[in-house]
Amino acid sequence: MAADPLDGFRDILGADHVVTAAAQRQLLSQDVYRAGTVPLAVLRPDSTAAVAGLVRHARAEDIALFVRGGGMSYTDAYLPDRERAAIVDLGRMDRIRAIEAPDLHATAEAGCTWAAFDAAVAPHGLRARFWGPMSGSRATLGGGMSQGAATFGSGIHGTSASAALAFEVVLGDGSVLTTGTAGAPHHAPFFRAYGPDLTGLFTGDAGALGIKTAVSLQLEPRPGAKGSASFAFGSFEAMRAAVSEVSRHGLATEVFGVETALARLAAGEAALMTDLRALWAVARAQPGPLAALRQAARIALAGRRFLADSTYIANFLCEAADAPRLALTLAQLRRIVRARGTEVANTMAAVVQSTPFPAPMVLGPGGRRLLPLHVILPHSRVDAFHAAFDALRQREAARMAEHRALAFVVFAGVGPSALLYEPVIYWEDEWPELHRATMPPELLALMQPGAANPAGRAYVEALRVEIIELMLAHGGAHLQIGRAYPFLRERPAPFTSMVHALKQATDPGNLINPGALGLGAPARGQEPAR
Ligand SMILES: Cc1cc2nc3c(=O)[nH]c(=O)nc-3n(C[C@H](O)[C@H](O)[C@H](O)COP(=O)(O)OP(=O)(O)OC[C@H]3O[C@@H](n4cnc5c(N)ncnc54)[C@H](O)[C@@H]3O)c2cc1C
């Protein structure tokens, strides 16, 4: 082994792209929930060949590589668990390689953000079938595919995996694998289902099976008409039944909603924000966000009326090739949903439809820290999970108050068979560097960090573990597995053997994202009981 193990990386990337400044190493080894061990360096490759080179060098030096896209996850997914490690930051690999409009596919480097990809294909009248998470102004194609992201397009198509045609992946021995039809010479990545689905293996793999360097996506024509409708409901069960029925019929391209208590908290904030001259000045300088702000102000006003007597709000975003077809879809949706809820101002939906990729809000209302958890359940099992979660929340009410914590429910549709149920925990605490660096400064200026709250942090962690256990007991599935969800627990031997064999085949040195998917090293919080 070399005297300075970083020298080999410097030879490959140039010294400027082997970052050893303590502040950067610390910043890039945090996620939205917490911090990992500070690694030796942050590596910033700009080509597949450079990624392959640094993987080979890391193997020779026994340095673990933790791969970071936009850094917008909260499942310990890329947090180093040891010092002899480096973060691979794919931010420089953001080029669009090809847009094949007649054949409806495009390929971009894995560090390209969803927002940049969408902007690149839009002039062709196209977009990806799944076209991004709400964090898409920072979150990347590689991150979204490795996590299994959901939101834009998910009401009908499900997760990011539905848009994946092919991946270029650097494996743990430094070789480069291309999946799908593109894996054969002179073949374009136009078709995924050619033999066993190797592309599928790398979707939702938490980056445990290799470093994605390029992603080929299925495109579709952009819709000619868009509209939305929002409804307030008196009970969770009424909301859930309406959302399930809309999802089964595939009527909404996106379905998302919130517990009204959370909307109330956020509406207070929006009303406060719109009053502030500083924000007005920022908004006036930017025509896009201004429209969004007007809408936000409107919901803050309109909101107070219906927020008073509902418990859940659901937003349905609909699209069609033209206005008459959109009108038919919305009419059918209203027939279904009006039987269970009351239609209200659709401004929250309109804001999302007009500004799908805002700056990610990594702090909650009032500057609180946040931890979203989620479980995917079949429609028939959601109410039972909700009842169990609500019971847990009521049992914990006094402790939550003691620790300055709150918990709310957010939800979304993911394809025809399932609902994504997302408990979000908020708590008062100080702000880590990542949060200060990510929040728009004009919004940060309106918020106050909490006092350091280590007891509250420990309480949130205990709650996180308990809620994940509850999700497992209810037979749920997860996206964003990272190192947070017990993917391999309770699986029969043929399943676990197959997954371990895949890890061994793709990363024999166990140096790429060790611990992700529960492979190679125990996930934090899931260490075996002593
Ligand atoms: C405000 C906010 C809104 C959000 N909205 C959504 C939403 O609407 N839908 C949703 O699904 N999620 C959402 N998220 C969660 C998160 O942003 C997404 O899951 C997103 O896909 C993460 O992408 P990223 O590029 O930031 O990945 P990172 O956080 O950088 O990494 C995530 C995982 O992917 C791996 N990885 C990243 N790039 C590669 C690569 N090239 N090769 C191999 N492995 C890789 C990492 O090692 C890690 O395991 C949100 C988060 C925030 C903070």
Side-chain angles (χ1 to χ4, degrees), residues 373-405:
L373 298 163
H374 76 280
V375 62
I376 296 180
L377 292 160
H379 299 293
S380 60
R381 291 199 181 186
V382 177
D383 292 356
F385 178 79
H386 174 69
F389 174 70
D390 219 28
L392 187 154
R393 193 163 55 161
Q394 282 169 27
R395 187 199 75 197
E396 289 299 310
R399 269 189 290 267
M400 280 205 226
E402 178 195 334
H403 291 295
R404 295 180 272 144

PDB file of all heavy atoms in Angstrom, residues 373-405:
ATOM      1  N   LEU A 373     -40.181   9.024   7.026  1.00  0.00           N
ATOM      2  CA  LEU A 373     -40.108   7.562   6.894  1.00  0.00           C
ATOM      3  C   LEU A 373     -41.209   7.189   5.908  1.00  0.00           C
ATOM      4  O   LEU A 373     -42.091   7.999   5.628  1.00  0.00           O
ATOM      5  CB  LEU A 373     -40.355   6.905   8.246  1.00  0.00           C
ATOM      6  CG  LEU A 373     -39.336   7.259   9.316  1.00  0.00           C
ATOM      7  CD1 LEU A 373     -39.870   6.912  10.704  1.00  0.00           C
ATOM      8  CD2 LEU A 373     -38.021   6.542   9.056  1.00  0.00           C
ATOM      9  N   HIS A 374     -41.168   5.996   5.382  1.00  0.00           N
ATOM     10  CA  HIS A 374     -42.271   5.648   4.481  1.00  0.00           C
ATOM     11  C   HIS A 374     -42.444   4.137   4.424  1.00  0.00           C
ATOM     12  O   HIS A 374     -41.509   3.377   4.695  1.00  0.00           O
ATOM     13  CB  HIS A 374     -42.011   6.175   3.065  1.00  0.00           C
ATOM     14  CG  HIS A 374     -41.012   5.342   2.345  1.00  0.00           C
ATOM     15  ND1 HIS A 374     -39.662   5.469   2.546  1.00  0.00           N
ATOM     16  CD2 HIS A 374     -41.161   4.307   1.486  1.00  0.00           C
ATOM     17  CE1 HIS A 374     -39.029   4.573   1.835  1.00  0.00           C
ATOM     18  NE2 HIS A 374     -39.907   3.842   1.172  1.00  0.00           N
ATOM     19  N   VAL A 375     -43.657   3.748   4.076  1.00  0.00           N
ATOM     20  CA  VAL A 375     -43.922   2.336   3.806  1.00  0.00           C
ATOM     21  C   VAL A 375     -44.886   2.284   2.626  1.00  0.00           C
ATOM     22  O   VAL A 375     -45.752   3.147   2.482  1.00  0.00           O
ATOM     23  CB  VAL A 375     -44.496   1.630   5.052  1.00  0.00           C
ATOM     24  CG1 VAL A 375     -45.831   2.228   5.481  1.00  0.00           C
ATOM     25  CG2 VAL A 375     -44.644   0.133   4.815  1.00  0.00           C
ATOM     26  N   ILE A 376     -44.714   1.270   1.775  1.00  0.00           N
ATOM     27  CA  ILE A 376     -45.633   1.068   0.665  1.00  0.00           C
ATOM     28  C   ILE A 376     -46.498  -0.137   0.991  1.00  0.00           C
ATOM     29  O   ILE A 376     -45.975  -1.213   1.314  1.00  0.00           O
ATOM     30  CB  ILE A 376     -44.854   0.860  -0.646  1.00  0.00           C
ATOM     31  CG1 ILE A 376     -44.083   2.137  -0.940  1.00  0.00           C
ATOM     32  CG2 ILE A 376     -45.779   0.497  -1.789  1.00  0.00           C
ATOM     33  CD1 ILE A 376     -43.270   2.087  -2.182  1.00  0.00           C
ATOM     34  N   LEU A 377     -47.800   0.076   0.940  1.00  0.00           N
ATOM     35  CA  LEU A 377     -48.745  -0.984   1.329  1.00  0.00           C
ATOM     36  C   LEU A 377     -49.804  -1.142   0.250  1.00  0.00           C
ATOM     37  O   LEU A 377     -50.170  -0.157  -0.409  1.00  0.00           O
ATOM     38  CB  LEU A 377     -49.432  -0.589   2.641  1.00  0.00           C
ATOM     39  CG  LEU A 377     -48.526  -0.571   3.876  1.00  0.00           C
ATOM     40  CD1 LEU A 377     -49.139   0.285   4.967  1.00  0.00           C
ATOM     41  CD2 LEU A 377     -48.270  -1.987   4.381  1.00  0.00           C
ATOM     42  N   PRO A 378     -50.327  -2.369   0.114  1.00  0.00           N
ATOM     43  CA  PRO A 378     -51.472  -2.526  -0.791  1.00  0.00           C
ATOM     44  C   PRO A 378     -52.664  -1.763  -0.210  1.00  0.00           C
ATOM     45  O   PRO A 378     -52.766  -1.612   1.013  1.00  0.00           O
ATOM     46  CB  PRO A 378     -51.710  -4.034  -0.808  1.00  0.00           C
ATOM     47  CG  PRO A 378     -51.044  -4.566   0.412  1.00  0.00           C
ATOM     48  CD  PRO A 378     -49.936  -3.625   0.764  1.00  0.00           C
ATOM     49  N   HIS A 379     -53.568  -1.315  -1.083  1.00  0.00           N
ATOM     50  CA  HIS A 379     -54.697  -0.501  -0.615  1.00  0.00           C
ATOM     51  C   HIS A 379     -55.401  -1.131   0.588  1.00  0.00           C
ATOM     52  O   HIS A 379     -55.744  -0.444   1.542  1.00  0.00           O
ATOM     53  CB  HIS A 379     -55.722  -0.338  -1.756  1.00  0.00           C
ATOM     54  CG  HIS A 379     -55.158   0.342  -2.954  1.00  0.00           C
ATOM     55  ND1 HIS A 379     -54.764   1.657  -2.951  1.00  0.00           N
ATOM     56  CD2 HIS A 379     -54.913  -0.116  -4.211  1.00  0.00           C
ATOM     57  CE1 HIS A 379     -54.290   1.992  -4.152  1.00  0.00           C
ATOM     58  NE2 HIS A 379     -54.366   0.925  -4.926  1.00  0.00           N
ATOM     59  N   SER A 380     -55.577  -2.455   0.518  1.00  0.00           N
ATOM     60  CA  SER A 380     -56.384  -3.141   1.533  1.00  0.00           C
ATOM     61  C   SER A 380     -55.725  -3.143   2.911  1.00  0.00           C
ATOM     62  O   SER A 380     -56.379  -3.474   3.902  1.00  0.00           O
ATOM     63  CB  SER A 380     -56.626  -4.589   1.092  1.00  0.00           C
ATOM     64  OG  SER A 380     -55.369  -5.240   0.952  1.00  0.00           O
ATOM     65  N   ARG A 381     -54.442  -2.798   3.006  1.00  0.00           N
ATOM     66  CA  ARG A 381     -53.764  -2.872   4.311  1.00  0.00           C
ATOM     67  C   ARG A 381     -53.415  -1.505   4.899  1.00  0.00           C
ATOM     68  O   ARG A 381     -52.815  -1.428   5.965  1.00  0.00           O
ATOM     69  CB  ARG A 381     -52.469  -3.670   4.167  1.00  0.00           C
ATOM     70  CG  ARG A 381     -52.705  -5.143   3.899  1.00  0.00           C
ATOM     71  CD  ARG A 381     -51.454  -5.894   4.222  1.00  0.00           C
ATOM     72  NE  ARG A 381     -51.598  -7.317   3.967  1.00  0.00           N
ATOM     73  CZ  ARG A 381     -50.679  -8.209   4.277  1.00  0.00           C
ATOM     74  NH1 ARG A 381     -49.567  -7.835   4.874  1.00  0.00           N
ATOM     75  NH2 ARG A 381     -50.855  -9.481   4.015  1.00  0.00           N
ATOM     76  N   VAL A 382     -53.762  -0.447   4.170  1.00  0.00           N
ATOM     77  CA  VAL A 382     -53.313   0.875   4.621  1.00  0.00           C
ATOM     78  C   VAL A 382     -54.037   1.324   5.884  1.00  0.00           C
ATOM     79  O   VAL A 382     -53.417   1.850   6.813  1.00  0.00           O
ATOM     80  CB  VAL A 382     -53.500   1.919   3.482  1.00  0.00           C
ATOM     81  CG1 VAL A 382     -53.098   3.303   3.970  1.00  0.00           C
ATOM     82  CG2 VAL A 382     -52.680   1.526   2.261  1.00  0.00           C
ATOM     83  N   ASP A 383     -55.366   1.101   5.943  1.00  0.00           N
ATOM     84  CA  ASP A 383     -56.122   1.595   7.103  1.00  0.00           C
ATOM     85  C   ASP A 383     -55.620   0.953   8.402  1.00  0.00           C
ATOM     86  O   ASP A 383     -55.520   1.613   9.436  1.00  0.00           O
ATOM     87  CB  ASP A 383     -57.615   1.302   6.933  1.00  0.00           C
ATOM     88  CG  ASP A 383     -58.232   2.134   5.808  1.00  0.00           C
ATOM     89  OD1 ASP A 383     -57.507   2.975   5.224  1.00  0.00           O
ATOM     90  OD2 ASP A 383     -59.417   1.930   5.499  1.00  0.00           O
ATOM     91  N   ALA A 384     -55.297  -0.334   8.335  1.00  0.00           N
ATOM     92  CA  ALA A 384     -54.820  -1.023   9.547  1.00  0.00           C
ATOM     93  C   ALA A 384     -53.475  -0.443   9.988  1.00  0.00           C
ATOM     94  O   ALA A 384     -53.232  -0.221  11.179  1.00  0.00           O
ATOM     95  CB  ALA A 384     -54.688  -2.518   9.287  1.00  0.00           C
ATOM     96  N   PHE A 385     -52.615  -0.160   9.014  1.00  0.00           N
ATOM     97  CA  PHE A 385     -51.332   0.439   9.398  1.00  0.00           C
ATOM     98  C   PHE A 385     -51.555   1.814  10.000  1.00  0.00           C
ATOM     99  O   PHE A 385     -50.943   2.180  11.007  1.00  0.00           O
ATOM    100  CB  PHE A 385     -50.364   0.539   8.207  1.00  0.00           C
ATOM    101  CG  PHE A 385     -49.080   1.193   8.619  1.00  0.00           C
ATOM    102  CD1 PHE A 385     -48.116   0.463   9.306  1.00  0.00           C
ATOM    103  CD2 PHE A 385     -48.853   2.543   8.406  1.00  0.00           C
ATOM    104  CE1 PHE A 385     -46.948   1.071   9.766  1.00  0.00           C
ATOM    105  CE2 PHE A 385     -47.693   3.161   8.857  1.00  0.00           C
ATOM    106  CZ  PHE A 385     -46.734   2.411   9.531  1.00  0.00           C
ATOM    107  N   HIS A 386     -52.452   2.571   9.372  1.00  0.00           N
ATOM    108  CA  HIS A 386     -52.712   3.920   9.887  1.00  0.00           C
ATOM    109  C   HIS A 386     -53.203   3.857  11.332  1.00  0.00           C
ATOM    110  O   HIS A 386     -52.753   4.643  12.180  1.00  0.00           O
ATOM    111  CB  HIS A 386     -53.745   4.638   9.012  1.00  0.00           C
ATOM    112  CG  HIS A 386     -54.148   5.961   9.578  1.00  0.00           C
ATOM    113  ND1 HIS A 386     -53.283   7.032   9.636  1.00  0.00           N
ATOM    114  CD2 HIS A 386     -55.300   6.378  10.175  1.00  0.00           C
ATOM    115  CE1 HIS A 386     -53.885   8.061  10.215  1.00  0.00           C
ATOM    116  NE2 HIS A 386     -55.110   7.684  10.554  1.00  0.00           N
ATOM    117  N   ALA A 387     -54.115   2.931  11.609  1.00  0.00           N
ATOM    118  CA  ALA A 387     -54.643   2.813  12.978  1.00  0.00           C
ATOM    119  C   ALA A 387     -53.504   2.506  13.953  1.00  0.00           C
ATOM    120  O   ALA A 387     -53.420   3.078  15.044  1.00  0.00           O
ATOM    121  CB  ALA A 387     -55.711   1.722  13.027  1.00  0.00           C
ATOM    122  N   ALA A 388     -52.587   1.623  13.539  1.00  0.00           N
ATOM    123  CA  ALA A 388     -51.471   1.255  14.419  1.00  0.00           C
ATOM    124  C   ALA A 388     -50.523   2.442  14.605  1.00  0.00           C
ATOM    125  O   ALA A 388     -50.048   2.710  15.718  1.00  0.00           O
ATOM    126  CB  ALA A 388     -50.720   0.064  13.828  1.00  0.00           C
ATOM    127  N   PHE A 389     -50.261   3.162  13.526  1.00  0.00           N
ATOM    128  CA  PHE A 389     -49.360   4.316  13.645  1.00  0.00           C
ATOM    129  C   PHE A 389     -49.994   5.398  14.519  1.00  0.00           C
ATOM    130  O   PHE A 389     -49.333   6.012  15.354  1.00  0.00           O
ATOM    131  CB  PHE A 389     -49.010   4.879  12.261  1.00  0.00           C
ATOM    132  CG  PHE A 389     -48.194   6.147  12.358  1.00  0.00           C
ATOM    133  CD1 PHE A 389     -46.879   6.095  12.805  1.00  0.00           C
ATOM    134  CD2 PHE A 389     -48.749   7.381  12.063  1.00  0.00           C
ATOM    135  CE1 PHE A 389     -46.126   7.256  12.944  1.00  0.00           C
ATOM    136  CE2 PHE A 389     -48.005   8.544  12.195  1.00  0.00           C
ATOM    137  CZ  PHE A 389     -46.686   8.478  12.637  1.00  0.00           C
ATOM    138  N   ASP A 390     -51.288   5.603  14.321  1.00  0.00           N
ATOM    139  CA  ASP A 390     -51.979   6.629  15.102  1.00  0.00           C
ATOM    140  C   ASP A 390     -51.964   6.271  16.590  1.00  0.00           C
ATOM    141  O   ASP A 390     -51.791   7.145  17.444  1.00  0.00           O
ATOM    142  CB  ASP A 390     -53.418   6.761  14.593  1.00  0.00           C
ATOM    143  CG  ASP A 390     -53.855   8.201  14.576  1.00  0.00           C
ATOM    144  OD1 ASP A 390     -52.981   9.089  14.431  1.00  0.00           O
ATOM    145  OD2 ASP A 390     -55.068   8.445  14.728  1.00  0.00           O
ATOM    146  N   ALA A 391     -52.123   4.986  16.886  1.00  0.00           N
ATOM    147  CA  ALA A 391     -52.094   4.542  18.291  1.00  0.00           C
ATOM    148  C   ALA A 391     -50.711   4.812  18.885  1.00  0.00           C
ATOM    149  O   ALA A 391     -50.573   5.302  20.006  1.00  0.00           O
ATOM    150  CB  ALA A 391     -52.443   3.062  18.368  1.00  0.00           C
ATOM    151  N   LEU A 392     -49.683   4.518  18.098  1.00  0.00           N
ATOM    152  CA  LEU A 392     -48.310   4.772  18.554  1.00  0.00           C
ATOM    153  C   LEU A 392     -48.123   6.280  18.823  1.00  0.00           C
ATOM    154  O   LEU A 392     -47.563   6.685  19.841  1.00  0.00           O
ATOM    155  CB  LEU A 392     -47.333   4.289  17.487  1.00  0.00           C
ATOM    156  CG  LEU A 392     -45.841   4.298  17.775  1.00  0.00           C
ATOM    157  CD1 LEU A 392     -45.158   3.243  16.907  1.00  0.00           C
ATOM    158  CD2 LEU A 392     -45.183   5.637  17.535  1.00  0.00           C
ATOM    159  N   ARG A 393     -48.648   7.064  17.895  1.00  0.00           N
ATOM    160  CA  ARG A 393     -48.498   8.521  18.026  1.00  0.00           C
ATOM    161  C   ARG A 393     -49.217   9.026  19.278  1.00  0.00           C
ATOM    162  O   ARG A 393     -48.695   9.871  20.007  1.00  0.00           O
ATOM    163  CB  ARG A 393     -49.072   9.160  16.760  1.00  0.00           C
ATOM    164  CG  ARG A 393     -48.747  10.591  16.571  1.00  0.00           C
ATOM    165  CD  ARG A 393     -48.963  11.057  15.153  1.00  0.00           C
ATOM    166  NE  ARG A 393     -50.289  10.817  14.613  1.00  0.00           N
ATOM    167  CZ  ARG A 393     -50.783  11.458  13.564  1.00  0.00           C
ATOM    168  NH1 ARG A 393     -50.062  12.393  12.976  1.00  0.00           N
ATOM    169  NH2 ARG A 393     -51.977  11.194  13.090  1.00  0.00           N
ATOM    170  N   GLN A 394     -50.394   8.505  19.528  1.00  0.00           N
ATOM    171  CA  GLN A 394     -51.120   8.944  20.733  1.00  0.00           C
ATOM    172  C   GLN A 394     -50.403   8.504  22.004  1.00  0.00           C
ATOM    173  O   GLN A 394     -50.283   9.258  22.961  1.00  0.00           O
ATOM    174  CB  GLN A 394     -52.539   8.393  20.707  1.00  0.00           C
ATOM    175  CG  GLN A 394     -53.426   9.204  19.778  1.00  0.00           C
ATOM    176  CD  GLN A 394     -54.765   8.546  19.512  1.00  0.00           C
ATOM    177  OE1 GLN A 394     -55.255   7.794  20.340  1.00  0.00           O
ATOM    178  NE2 GLN A 394     -55.333   8.811  18.352  1.00  0.00           N
ATOM    179  N   ARG A 395     -49.922   7.273  22.000  1.00  0.00           N
ATOM    180  CA  ARG A 395     -49.166   6.767  23.156  1.00  0.00           C
ATOM    181  C   ARG A 395     -47.953   7.666  23.443  1.00  0.00           C
ATOM    182  O   ARG A 395     -47.564   7.877  24.577  1.00  0.00           O
ATOM    183  CB  ARG A 395     -48.693   5.343  22.839  1.00  0.00           C
ATOM    184  CG  ARG A 395     -48.045   4.601  23.989  1.00  0.00           C
ATOM    185  CD  ARG A 395     -47.224   3.428  23.483  1.00  0.00           C
ATOM    186  NE  ARG A 395     -45.978   3.872  22.894  1.00  0.00           N
ATOM    187  CZ  ARG A 395     -45.200   3.144  22.087  1.00  0.00           C
ATOM    188  NH1 ARG A 395     -45.554   1.939  21.747  1.00  0.00           N
ATOM    189  NH2 ARG A 395     -44.068   3.633  21.601  1.00  0.00           N
ATOM    190  N   GLU A 396     -47.346   8.188  22.365  1.00  0.00           N
ATOM    191  CA  GLU A 396     -46.107   8.959  22.504  1.00  0.00           C
ATOM    192  C   GLU A 396     -46.330  10.456  22.699  1.00  0.00           C
ATOM    193  O   GLU A 396     -45.361  11.223  22.774  1.00  0.00           O
ATOM    194  CB  GLU A 396     -45.238   8.752  21.252  1.00  0.00           C
ATOM    195  CG  GLU A 396     -44.625   7.379  21.154  1.00  0.00           C
ATOM    196  CD  GLU A 396     -43.704   7.073  22.319  1.00  0.00           C
ATOM    197  OE1 GLU A 396     -42.829   7.904  22.634  1.00  0.00           O
ATOM    198  OE2 GLU A 396     -43.870   6.003  22.948  1.00  0.00           O
ATOM    199  N   ALA A 397     -47.609  10.894  22.744  1.00  0.00           N
ATOM    200  CA  ALA A 397     -47.888  12.343  22.716  1.00  0.00           C
ATOM    201  C   ALA A 397     -47.098  13.113  23.784  1.00  0.00           C
ATOM    202  O   ALA A 397     -46.475  14.140  23.489  1.00  0.00           O
ATOM    203  CB  ALA A 397     -49.379  12.590  22.846  1.00  0.00           C
ATOM    204  N   ALA A 398     -47.090  12.612  25.008  1.00  0.00           N
ATOM    205  CA  ALA A 398     -46.430  13.358  26.084  1.00  0.00           C
ATOM    206  C   ALA A 398     -44.917  13.392  25.867  1.00  0.00           C
ATOM    207  O   ALA A 398     -44.273  14.437  26.025  1.00  0.00           O
ATOM    208  CB  ALA A 398     -46.750  12.708  27.432  1.00  0.00           C
ATOM    209  N   ARG A 399     -44.359  12.245  25.461  1.00  0.00           N
ATOM    210  CA  ARG A 399     -42.898  12.205  25.228  1.00  0.00           C
ATOM    211  C   ARG A 399     -42.510  13.097  24.051  1.00  0.00           C
ATOM    212  O   ARG A 399     -41.472  13.736  24.049  1.00  0.00           O
ATOM    213  CB  ARG A 399     -42.422  10.769  24.993  1.00  0.00           C
ATOM    214  CG  ARG A 399     -42.006  10.092  26.311  1.00  0.00           C
ATOM    215  CD  ARG A 399     -41.324   8.762  26.042  1.00  0.00           C
ATOM    216  NE  ARG A 399     -42.291   7.798  25.538  1.00  0.00           N
ATOM    217  CZ  ARG A 399     -42.964   6.943  26.304  1.00  0.00           C
ATOM    218  NH1 ARG A 399     -42.756   6.934  27.594  1.00  0.00           N
ATOM    219  NH2 ARG A 399     -43.834   6.107  25.789  1.00  0.00           N
ATOM    220  N   MET A 400     -43.363  13.121  23.031  1.00  0.00           N
ATOM    221  CA  MET A 400     -43.054  13.989  21.881  1.00  0.00           C
ATOM    222  C   MET A 400     -43.023  15.452  22.323  1.00  0.00           C
ATOM    223  O   MET A 400     -42.136  16.202  21.944  1.00  0.00           O
ATOM    224  CB  MET A 400     -44.102  13.795  20.780  1.00  0.00           C
ATOM    225  CG  MET A 400     -43.864  12.561  19.958  1.00  0.00           C
ATOM    226  SD  MET A 400     -44.604  12.736  18.331  1.00  0.00           S
ATOM    227  CE  MET A 400     -45.385  11.181  18.198  1.00  0.00           C
ATOM    228  N   ALA A 401     -44.001  15.828  23.127  1.00  0.00           N
ATOM    229  CA  ALA A 401     -44.040  17.219  23.604  1.00  0.00           C
ATOM    230  C   ALA A 401     -42.781  17.512  24.432  1.00  0.00           C
ATOM    231  O   ALA A 401     -42.131  18.545  24.262  1.00  0.00           O
ATOM    232  CB  ALA A 401     -45.301  17.442  24.427  1.00  0.00           C
ATOM    233  N   GLU A 402     -42.431  16.548  25.302  1.00  0.00           N
ATOM    234  CA  GLU A 402     -41.237  16.720  26.155  1.00  0.00           C
ATOM    235  C   GLU A 402     -39.985  16.940  25.293  1.00  0.00           C
ATOM    236  O   GLU A 402     -39.116  17.751  25.621  1.00  0.00           O
ATOM    237  CB  GLU A 402     -41.098  15.455  27.010  1.00  0.00           C
ATOM    238  CG  GLU A 402     -39.903  15.421  27.928  1.00  0.00           C
ATOM    239  CD  GLU A 402     -39.676  13.971  28.426  1.00  0.00           C
ATOM    240  OE1 GLU A 402     -40.656  13.179  28.463  1.00  0.00           O
ATOM    241  OE2 GLU A 402     -38.534  13.661  28.751  1.00  0.00           O
ATOM    242  N   HIS A 403     -39.905  16.228  24.166  1.00  0.00           N
ATOM    243  CA  HIS A 403     -38.709  16.313  23.314  1.00  0.00           C
ATOM    244  C   HIS A 403     -38.859  17.309  22.162  1.00  0.00           C
ATOM    245  O   HIS A 403     -38.056  17.324  21.238  1.00  0.00           O
ATOM    246  CB  HIS A 403     -38.357  14.929  22.767  1.00  0.00           C
ATOM    247  CG  HIS A 403     -37.855  14.008  23.825  1.00  0.00           C
ATOM    248  ND1 HIS A 403     -36.683  14.224  24.491  1.00  0.00           N
ATOM    249  CD2 HIS A 403     -38.381  12.874  24.356  1.00  0.00           C
ATOM    250  CE1 HIS A 403     -36.492  13.262  25.380  1.00  0.00           C
ATOM    251  NE2 HIS A 403     -37.506  12.431  25.324  1.00  0.00           N
ATOM    252  N   ARG A 404     -39.874  18.101  22.206  1.00  0.00           N
ATOM    253  CA  ARG A 404     -40.119  19.124  21.173  1.00  0.00           C
ATOM    254  C   ARG A 404     -40.178  18.483  19.784  1.00  0.00           C
ATOM    255  O   ARG A 404     -39.558  18.926  18.824  1.00  0.00           O
ATOM    256  CB  ARG A 404     -39.042  20.217  21.237  1.00  0.00           C
ATOM    257  CG  ARG A 404     -39.097  21.019  22.547  1.00  0.00           C
ATOM    258  CD  ARG A 404     -38.041  22.076  22.598  1.00  0.00           C
ATOM    259  NE  ARG A 404     -36.783  21.578  23.139  1.00  0.00           N
ATOM    260  CZ  ARG A 404     -35.581  21.942  22.738  1.00  0.00           C
ATOM    261  NH1 ARG A 404     -35.454  22.809  21.753  1.00  0.00           N
ATOM    262  NH2 ARG A 404     -34.494  21.454  23.302  1.00  0.00           N
ATOM    263  N   ALA A 405     -40.944  17.378  19.699  1.00  0.00           N
ATOM    264  CA  ALA A 405     -41.094  16.649  18.429  1.00  0.00           C
ATOM    265  C   ALA A 405     -42.568  16.591  18.030  1.00  0.00           C
ATOM    266  O   ALA A 405     -43.466  16.679  18.875  1.00  0.00           O
ATOM    267  CB  ALA A 405     -40.537  15.230  18.579  1.00  0.00           C
TER     268      ALA A 405
END
